[in-house]
Amino acid sequence: MDSVVYSCAYSPDGKMFMVGLSNGEIRVYSTSNWEITQTLKGHETVSRVVYSPDGKLIVSSGDRTIRLWVTESGVCQHIFTGHTDEVRCVAYSPCGAQIVSASNDKSIRLWNPAIGNCSQILSGHEGAVSRTIYSPKGAQIASGSSDLTVRLWNVGTGECTHIFDDHSDEIWGIAFSPHGDQVASASCDKTIRLWDVESGNCRHILQGHSDKVFEVLYSPEGDQLFSGGRDGTVRVWDVQSGSCRHTLTGHTHSVYCIAYSPKGDVIASGSFDRTARLWDVSFGGSRHISSGHNKEITNVNCSPNGDLIASSSVDTTIRVWDVDTGACLRTLSGHGNTVFTVAFPPQGNQLVSGCYDSSLRLWDLKTGTCQRILTGHTSVAYDIVYSPQGDQIASASLDKTARLWNATTGEHQGTLKGHTNGVMSVAYSPDGKLIATGSHDLTMRLWNVGTMDCVKVLTGHRNSVRDVVFSPRGDEIASASGHCMIWSVVTGERRLMLTGHNSEVVRVAYSPKGDLLASGSFDRTVRFWDVASGQCRAVIQNFQGGVFGAKWIPSAEANYLVTGCQDGSVLKWQVIDEEGQCHVRLCWGATNGSLTVTGTSIQGVRGLSSLNKQLLNQRSAEGEPVNRLCESSKKLITMGSVVSQLRQLSERTDEPSQQQAEQQDKL
């Protein structure tokens, strides 16, 4: 994300999600497609955003004001003034009849949202009040301050009923348990304390964060507590025992806010690293750590039975992964340069790879040894594929040719000549009778496998054809170039041009049923297209580099896609199409460092986002492509799954100054 996320919140029905940003904007997203629906402007900076209990209003704090917004229209209904210093926090009472605010002016104010007047001022803190919140029944307010105390207040009388003063540093986060019998406080002393509301006793001291703790949040059941801090982690605690269950890593800077989705076991976190991330917290299963490639991934492929994934990389290796767990089962070494492509046969324990040095290698997956080296190309072997019967291999090379090889013996069987520039992609038709090739010469060619004659030349691309793939029925071909295109095999005519990517498309892949087309691009996104209409159904954004590999995993149970990225990551996604909505969920991933996957929980998730409204609503895009996205739409946020696009205002790479830190770390 390109602006610091100070606050985030879900609407009560879970249909909307909003973030409050350091640039003064509030951005509202639809959780069905993660499209930005509104941008609310007025604050100089936004410290807190909260929905009213009925979801009809939004209240926000920042600068020295509180603003009340109408959710549906985005109109600012009231501006509350009275605080003499920055307003750090704001919250709705459970019934929605009152708003509480906390400020650097050491005061807490109660407001009537209907008329916008201050009904009461709670005084007593001797330092800035960073956080305040209502109890579940609304009878009490808890507040945390830089005076090192947590205070409980009677809402009716305005009296301070308890003072908890065991922290040794400033308090930034406060949360009531769902039953109202406990208060959690997060402090710059690196601890979280759980307080008994009735007795005032400290039940637990939660230790594990290595730096200041800024935020705490109870799960709806009250059995778990989530915390975020300057160490960049989100931690999940067992409330009963006080032990840390899980540590969610992925943020690269302070975590300021956490929100729980009303729809399920998903939490969102916002950070100084300008990202918002979604985490699946339905924990379970065994823990596994996977190491990834340490350089760019050039391609990925899946075994026909759906059990294995292979990835090729600039790091000169091929890695074989377990589809279910993400475990790296084997690393194949032997190529002396970049491995551009890898393919599985229809059956058997073999693998074939193509290299920058123009050679192909056949590998035995059981032993990890190279069985044969196939030579003949005079330039980079850029793509490779097995025939549907598994008896033949086709390879594409920058030497302007495609070559056919006996898959068993490695014998060269023929050369397909005709392209006037390097051949970048090759694919067999499902019946094995045709081969399609794509080239730097901007054309696709169809070849008769038996005669090796070119039977059609498909023209119309304005950029190199980087990938070609037949539909499962074999009646159409999809191509990756400046845009995705879908062509009729019979007529050679283009049926659809799918516009939306704002850079060249590198990879295309049909889903097993043929109803969806996935495309990966240099623009760091993967898009999912409805093959019939050309409509873009969903987008995965904020990859840390171009997406050079995209392949569907054969599965009778669900749609799974594996992606390979320029940053060295391999990620497995589940694509869910229900009730007319297309949702994408990250299953596991392996990066160039490591990634911990616990059951279905993801740590270090890059997440999910969605498409600009202009692209999401478009249908088949015959004719001129849509205009390039505005600058704000190019910036992608991590939520993974999901979930923001924010415009960068400034580059902040260093720790803030003491004064800035006091303002930015308060949240």
Side-chain angles (χ1 to χ4, degrees), residues 482-483 499-505 521-525 527 615 627-630 633-636:
H483 304 292
T499 58
H501 286 292
N502 56 25
S503 189
E504 282 195 67
V505 184
S521 168
F522 280 111
D523 69 5
R524 305 186 177 193
T525 71
R527 299 180 185 269
L615 303 178
N627 294 330
R628 289 178 62 84
L629 299 181
C630 61
S633 299
K634 294 180 188 176
K635 302 295 181 181
L636 309 175

Side-chain angles (χ1 to χ4, degrees), residues 381-397:
Y382 209 81
D383 196 16
I384 196 165
V385 65
Y386 276 92
S387 67
Q389 296 76 24
D391 58 343
Q392 192 176 66
I393 294 170
S395 58
S397 171

Side-chain angles (χ1 to χ4, degrees), residues 60-104:
S60 61
S61 60
D63 38 71
R64 298 184 180 186
T65 68
I66 296 119
R67 292 176 180 254
L68 193 65
W69 313 79
V70 179
T71 301
E72 185 174 356
S73 65
V75 173
C76 182
Q77 192 176 69
H78 290 297
I79 301 176
F80 306 159
T81 59
H83 283 294
T84 59
D85 206 335
E86 184 180 358
V87 184
R88 302 274 293 271
C89 184
V90 67
Y92 257 103
S93 64
C95 65
Q98 197 174 64
I99 291 171
V100 63
S101 60
S103 170
N104 280 350

Side-chain angles (χ1 to χ4, degrees), residues 131-149:
R131 192 60 51 86
T132 184
I133 191 170
Y134 283 93
S135 63
K137 293 183 179 179
Q140 290 179 301
I141 288 173
S143 59
S145 168
S146 62
D147 65 9
L148 317 190
T149 69

Side-chain angles (χ1 to χ4, degrees), residues 4 11 65 157 177 199 213 249 254 280 303 381-382 527 529 614 636 639 656 659:
V4 177
S11 62
T65 68
T157 66
S177 65
S199 68
V213 189
T249 60
S254 303
D280 186 333
S303 62
Y382 209 81
R527 299 180 185 269
W529 310 87
Q614 175 188 16
L636 309 175
M639 296 281 281
Q659 182 178 1

Side-chain angles (χ1 to χ4, degrees), residues 357-361 373-381 395-405 410-415 417:
D357 65 8
S358 76
S359 70
L360 312 180
R361 288 180 179 244
I373 300 176
L374 313 184
T375 59
H377 282 299
T378 58
S379 188
V380 178
S395 58
S397 171
L398 296 188
D399 65 8
K400 307 179 186 180
T401 71
R403 288 179 175 250
L404 306 184
W405 314 80
E411 179 186 355
H412 175 232
Q413 295 181 327
T415 303
K417 297 181 179 180

Side-chain angles (χ1 to χ4, degrees), residues 292-503:
H293 289 284
N294 54 36
K295 289 186 179 179
E296 298 96 317
I297 287 176
T298 55
N299 208 344
V300 293
N301 217 320
C302 302
S303 62
N305 61 8
D307 291 341
L308 301 175
I309 293 168
S311 56
S312 55
S313 172
V314 177
D315 67 9
T316 74
T317 70
I318 300 150
R319 291 177 186 258
V320 182
W321 311 85
D322 183 284
V323 165
D324 293 327
T325 67
C328 182
L329 304 178
R330 192 174 290 283
T331 300
L332 309 180
S333 302
H335 283 294
N337 212 314
T338 297
V339 186
F340 275 108
T341 184
V342 64
F344 286 97
Q347 60 277 324
N349 292 298
Q350 199 179 47
L351 196 69
V352 64
S353 59
C355 182
Y356 182 86
D357 65 8
S358 76
S359 70
L360 312 180
R361 288 180 179 244
L362 295 177
W363 304 85
D364 185 311
L365 285 182
K366 286 186 176 180
T367 63
T369 58
C370 177
Q371 295 177 313
R372 286 183 180 82
I373 300 176
L374 313 184
T375 59
H377 282 299
T378 58
S379 188
V380 178
Y382 209 81
D383 196 16
I384 196 165
V385 65
Y386 276 92
S387 67
Q389 296 76 24
D391 58 343
Q392 192 176 66
I393 294 170
S395 58
S397 171
L398 296 188
D399 65 8
K400 307 179 186 180
T401 71
R403 288 179 175 250
L404 306 184
W405 314 80
N406 183 294
T408 303
T409 65
E411 179 186 355
H412 175 232
Q413 295 181 327
T415 303
L416 309 182
K417 297 181 179 180
H419 283 293
T420 58
N421 208 327
V423 184
M424 303 189 71
S425 52
V426 61
Y428 280 93
S429 62
D431 61 9
K433 295 180 179 180
L434 291 174
I435 285 177
T437 54
S439 170
H440 274 309
D441 66 12
L442 316 188
T443 70
M444 282 194 303
R445 289 178 177 252
L446 295 183
W447 310 80
N448 183 300
V449 173
T451 64
M452 300 189 193
D453 293 328
C454 178
V455 294
K456 276 190 180 68
V457 180
L458 283 60
T459 60
H461 293 97
R462 297 180 182 179
N463 300 86
S464 300
V465 184
R466 295 182 175 275
D467 196 21
V468 292
V469 61
F470 279 90
S471 65
R473 293 189 304 176
D475 59 334
E476 290 188 326
I477 299 172
S479 60
S481 184
H483 304 292
C484 303
M485 297 186 185
I486 297 179
W487 308 76
S488 167
V489 171
V490 175
T491 67
E493 297 294 320
R494 187 186 73 197
R495 181 172 69 84
L496 287 174
M497 180 169 69
L498 312 177
T499 58
H501 286 292
N502 56 25
S503 189

